[in-house]
Amino acid sequence: MLFRILKCTTPLLSSNTSLYRAFSLSTSFLAVSAMTSSAGPSLRTRLNEYKPTELRADLSHLTAGDKQALVKLADASDLLSSAYYQQIWAGAPRLRQELTANADRSEEAKDSLRLFELLRGPWDRSRENQPFVAGVGAKPPTANVYPEDMTKDEFSTWVAELSAEDAQRARGFYDAVQRSSNGTLELVRYADAYRTHLGPAAQLMEEAAALVSDASFAEFLRARATAFGSNQYVDSEVAWLKINHASALEAAIGPYETYEDELFSAKAFFESMVHVRDFEASKELAKFASSLEFVEARLPIPAEYRNTKLVAPPIVVVNQVYAGGDTAVPMTAAYNLPNDEHAIERAGSKLTLIRNVQEGKMQSVLRPIALCVLGANDLCDVTFDAFFTHVLLHEVAHSNGPHRTVGAGHTVRSQLQELHSAFEEAKADIAALFAARLLVDQRVIDDITMRQFYTTYLVSAFRSIRFGLAEAHGLGQAMQLSYLLEAGGFVYDSGTRTFAVDFNKIDQAVSDLTRDIMLIQGDGDKQRAVEFRNKYGVVAPAVAQALEGLKHVPIDIAPIWVDIEDLRNANV
């Protein structure tokens, strides 16, 4: 017990108009940005929750052109950061400009800028989006992709009067909704709204395409550059899915995730992740793609809820060398893209696992948490392989289960709206555990035990909840942990203040939770989703107590892009 306490308490070795006006552009930097919110901890305390971590990749096999292209893609990523800040809040670009201009005035001023860039805005995601810059108001659920004063009823009434094509755009990924000069709502293509940033980014991507060694990767870059001007993204998504398995470089560049649209979870935000492929690791994981239909056929749901249009996703393992745009901490460890249902129905999806990010999380976050929440006898069951493989299965599981409602055929996203992201992340998490049991029993996975899967998942639940319940992964994980504790799959020992897996109950609890989430999705029943969220999307007292003991454990890692810095300094 003393060993656990010491480990847990010792620092580790290893057009948003009203908010925009409230910020007051005339207010001096010292009065605004060098002050933290009176309700929260200091800037330095917040920064210390993210461990600076050098993220590297093996560049030795890259051509000179590939290395030059990496620098251009990093520069394009910086431009997408500017586009993202314009999307997230009308006041963000100006605030970022002021923080940058004044960063040399003091250490606190530098910390303000570092935290702003790390969290991609002036709100602390791990603290329910509490603002950490004085003078900044609450994070608007509209972001800046809708007018801040727009209501859901106003939006619905307006959409009902649009043509079928424009109504689809209004509910779609790639058009902002703005208020015209006469006060009515209007559609503005992303290509027009963010032209200042997308034009130069497209030029850099064209230049990178002329340098890279793989023709298919070059084709994607050109197609995406074209999409930045045309606002038509499906063809470039298909080009991304066709990047050859022999390409040394990988990148996800464009508008993808909808988490920041807290009104409808509909509008995509710009981001960029630039990678170098890990060829050996990618070969080892190819076997998992073929398991998709095997798992789908055995899901604990009626046949009509199953996904009959599955396309086995290619699986790519990469190491990340740069990021921009919608890439706030906690860092993405893997992704299954595209999200656009039209692109998925046309060409499927691709699963990308980011190995160096996962290794950083395991070393700096997961292992220290295990020391705090598990009994000594269970620590040996927390393994990197179980963590890495569950993340893989999580991304594969995004393809499983219903993506459209049974009968009506609406997208699940359109029916669950702002709750869609949390339920989709919870679905992928728990369905991944369900799949792990099937694949271990079939010996597709023969080097990881279910004891390791379940125990590692239990520890990772605390990791994800620390992201905050305002974040989709955090809320999704809170719902899972509360459900599994209620079902007895996980148990808490109040005497030792540790958690454990009940191996007699966990299989059934995982199956039941997989069923319950997928039925809510397949029915498109938002009321049931709200009731489920209200019941399970909470932090139980025992969990809250455990989280208090994790204050000296980093919430996540903060990336240091060493390779790109070296390439830039070398003027490749």
Side-chain angles (χ1 to χ4, degrees), residues 381-521:
D381 290 320
V382 179
T383 71
F384 177 76
D385 286 346
F387 176 58
F388 184 81
T389 305
H390 180 262
V391 171
L392 182 158
L393 294 174
H394 167 108
E395 297 303 332
V396 171
H398 277 302
S399 298
N400 288 122
H403 287 250
R404 292 186 179 271
T405 59
V406 174
H410 300 301
T411 64
V412 173
R413 182 188 306 276
S414 69
Q415 300 306 294
L416 298 193
Q417 298 181 336
E418 75 277 7
L419 295 179
H420 170 264
S421 294
F423 273 81
E424 179 61 22
E425 295 304 328
K427 185 270 306 251
D429 253 354
I430 202 66
L433 272 187
F434 181 86
R437 164 55 75 189
L438 293 174
L439 298 179
V440 168
D441 288 347
Q442 292 293 313
R443 299 196 62 77
V444 174
I445 299 174
D446 58 7
D447 57 349
I448 307 169
T449 67
M450 286 311 301
R451 179 176 291 274
Q452 291 170 331
F453 268 122
Y454 285 136
T455 306
T456 302
Y457 168 88
L458 171 58
V459 173
S460 192
F462 288 91
R463 177 185 69 89
S464 298
I465 289 175
R466 297 178 78 211
F467 301 161
L469 301 191
E471 196 269 349
H473 299 79
L475 176 57
Q477 189 60 73
M479 292 192 298
Q480 294 170 77
L481 185 56
S482 295
Y483 187 106
L484 295 175
L485 283 167
E486 179 184 84
F490 293 149
V491 293
Y492 175 66
D493 186 328
S494 59
T496 60
R497 295 186 178 181
T498 58
F499 292 80
V501 180
D502 185 333
F503 292 99
N504 293 317
K505 295 182 179 180
I506 188 63
D507 284 344
Q508 189 61 51
V510 166
S511 178
D512 291 346
L513 180 53
T514 301
R515 176 202 64 210
D516 289 353
I517 290 176
M518 288 188 177
L519 292 183
I520 288 173
Q521 290 181 311

Side-chain angles (χ1 to χ4, degrees), residues 197-424:
H197 313 300
L198 298 185
Q203 179 60 40
L204 286 165
M205 291 163 66
E206 292 277 7
E207 294 170 7
L211 292 166
V212 298
S213 58
D214 184 83
S216 64
F217 187 59
E219 177 58 30
F220 160 65
L221 293 176
R222 293 190 185 100
R224 189 61 110 200
T226 299
F228 281 177
S230 70
N231 218 55
Q232 301 298 315
Y233 281 90
V234 173
D235 286 347
S236 60
E237 296 285 34
V238 173
W240 181 73
L241 291 166
K242 291 182 177 179
I243 294 174
N244 194 290
H245 62 83
S247 175
L249 303 183
E250 277 278 350
I253 303 175
Y256 289 113
E257 303 294 357
T258 63
Y259 302 124
E260 299 300 334
D261 175 359
E262 297 175 14
L263 206 61
F264 297 115
S265 191
K267 300 302 176 188
F269 286 71
F270 285 96
E271 66 179 287
S272 175
M273 290 181 282
V274 183
H275 311 299
V276 175
R277 189 186 296 251
D278 184 330
F279 288 104
E280 286 303 312
S282 297
K283 289 178 184 177
E284 293 173 5
L285 298 180
K287 62 184 179 182
F288 289 102
S290 61
S291 68
L292 194 59
E293 291 185 359
F294 174 82
V295 172
E296 186 73 27
R298 290 158 180 79
L299 289 172
I301 55 177
E304 61 269 26
Y305 288 81
R306 294 199 176 111
N307 186 351
T308 59
K309 298 180 180 180
L310 287 171
V311 178
I315 299 174
V316 180
V317 181
V318 299
N319 289 300
Q320 189 159 321
V321 295
Y322 206 72
D326 185 14
T327 52
V329 290
M331 289 193 70
T332 297
Y335 54 86
N336 190 343
L337 294 174
N339 288 324
D340 188 328
E341 289 88 355
H342 296 96
I344 294 170
E345 289 168 2
R346 179 171 155 187
S349 61
K350 181 166 65 178
L351 197 169
T352 304
L353 293 163
I354 311 173
R355 189 176 186 89
N356 58 352
V357 170
Q358 292 191 35
E359 288 172 340
K361 291 174 182 281
M362 185 73 188
Q363 181 64 31
S364 297
V365 183
L366 210 64
R367 293 192 189 282
I369 289 176
L371 292 168
C372 296
V373 302
L374 295 181
N377 292 336
D378 293 329
L379 292 174
C380 61
D381 290 320
V382 179
T383 71
F384 177 76
D385 286 346
F387 176 58
F388 184 81
T389 305
H390 180 262
V391 171
L392 182 158
L393 294 174
H394 167 108
E395 297 303 332
V396 171
H398 277 302
S399 298
N400 288 122
H403 287 250
R404 292 186 179 271
T405 59
V406 174
H410 300 301
T411 64
V412 173
R413 182 188 306 276
S414 69
Q415 300 306 294
L416 298 193
Q417 298 181 336
E418 75 277 7
L419 295 179
H420 170 264
S421 294
F423 273 81
E424 179 61 22

Side-chain angles (χ1 to χ4, degrees), residues 534-551:
N534 290 345
K535 180 176 180 179
Y536 295 113
V538 296
V539 178
V543 175
Q545 186 178 56
L547 293 173
E548 280 294 309
L550 301 178
K551 285 188 173 180

